Amino acid sequence: AQSVAQPEDQVNVAEGNPLTVKCTYSVSGNPYLFWYVQYPNRGLQFLLKYITGDNLVKGSYGFEAEFNKSQTSFHLKKPSALVSDSALYFCAVSPVYHGSGNTGKLIFGQGTTLQVKP
Amino acid sequence: EAGVAQSPRYKIIEKRQSVAFWCNPISGHATLYWYQQILGQGPKLLIQFQNNGVVDDSQLPKDRFSAERLKGVDSTLKIQPAKLEDSAVYLCASSSISGPAANEQFFGPGTRLTVL
């Protein structure tokens, strides 16, 4: 079965320190990979995506993600965390089907709460 | 550019009642999605439309849930009758099928449904 795992329910970091939010997936082929962020009482916001090319993808608000095909991972990173980065982060995968290509369907992980303390 | 609009934002109903949610996608977006997000979980796709046709409804509980996208723009999602386990946030998203933002889904604020 296709799935996305975010092994940490919560990540705590101090402001100014680097942060990593982990994501691994179990989807055959070469899926598209995404990160979304959800602030309280607001919809999910797109952060970044990987389709092909350079394994390090840069996105919004200084976030970046590193794709590792052999480990089927797509970890979210930021060199210096801000208190305002505190939110719920979702990793998502969009399968690419042989013949029909990518339909846009997203399979989400369960989410990781990032808490950045001053 | 206006975002994805959803209404109502909150709804409380008794079990076995019916409820409907409305979504207006970003103008020009051909693809529209409905997701169910249960507390503590990631969103789960219920149904995907491209224009007014269904692309994927494999996870839609068709005995009680229905959705339509007449004219390929607005969409409604209906639950009839509701069960306690339907309590969740229902998210609508839309995306374009071409251009630099293709495959990027833009989400509405969601409708929080509580079934008592």
Side-chain angles (χ1 to χ4, degrees):
Chain A
Q2 299 173 326
S3 63
V4 178
Q6 294 180 241
E8 303 150 316
D9 288 338
Q10 182 159 326
V11 170
N12 298 308
V13 298
E15 187 174 35
N17 282 1
L19 69 88
T20 298
V21 182
K22 297 179 180 177
C23 173
T24 59
Y25 60 92
S26 177
V27 175
S28 58
N30 298 304
Y32 298 174
L33 306 170
F34 298 81
W35 276 99
Y36 282 82
V37 59
Q38 188 173 39
Y39 296 99
N41 298 317
R42 295 176 64 179
L44 282 82
Q45 296 177 31
F46 169 82
L47 273 182
L48 50 80
K49 68 180 177 184
Y50 173 85
I51 295 178
T52 188
D54 193 349
N55 289 345
L56 187 64
V57 179
K58 295 189 183 299
S60 307
Y61 313 119
F63 283 92
E64 55 192 26
E66 186 170 16
F67 168 61
N68 186 314
K69 185 170 184 176
S70 63
Q71 297 184 4
T72 60
S73 67
F74 190 54
H75 300 332
L76 181 69
K77 301 182 178 186
K78 188 173 183 181
S80 179
L82 300 172
V83 172
S84 57
D85 292 331
S86 299
L88 182 58
Y89 290 81
F90 288 97
C91 179
V93 171
S94 188
V96 177
Y97 298 100
H98 180 68
S100 58
N102 178 261
T103 64
K105 170 182 178 177
L106 288 176
I107 302 168
F108 283 87
Q110 73 272 29
T112 298
T113 298
L114 174 65
Q115 186 72 39
V116 182
K117 296 186 178 180
Chain B
E1 178 182 79
V4 176
Q6 289 187 247
S7 68
R9 291 294 309 276
Y10 305 91
K11 190 73 177 179
I12 301 173
I13 61 172
E14 302 275 339
K15 61 183 178 184
R16 291 186 291 274
Q17 286 187 321
S18 61
V19 64
F21 312 128
W22 173 82
C23 173
N24 180 241
I26 291 174
S27 178
H29 280 190
T31 310
L32 184 147
Y33 312 79
W34 283 102
Y35 289 87
Q36 179 192 58
Q37 185 177 14
I38 293 172
L39 186 64
Q41 299 181 19
K44 181 184 80 171
L45 180 69
L46 291 175
I47 189 166
Q48 176 184 348
F49 293 95
Q50 184 159 316
N51 297 312
N52 59 353
V54 175
V55 174
D56 186 339
D57 63 356
S58 57
Q59 298 190 91
L60 186 74
K62 298 180 184 64
D63 58 332
R64 297 184 301 106
F65 286 66
S66 64
E68 59 182 11
R69 192 184 184 197
L70 299 176
K71 301 180 181 179
V73 181
D74 293 6
S75 177
T76 56
L77 176 69
K78 297 179 181 178
I79 307 175
Q80 182 178 10
K83 293 186 175 181
L84 296 177
E85 58 260 36
D86 298 333
S87 294
V89 175
Y90 291 85
L91 297 168
C92 179
S94 68
S95 66
S96 62
I97 59 174
S98 62
N103 308 114
E104 294 173 23
Q105 294 185 26
F106 294 81
F107 285 81
T111 297
R112 183 177 298 276
L113 174 67
T114 302
V115 182
L116 303 176

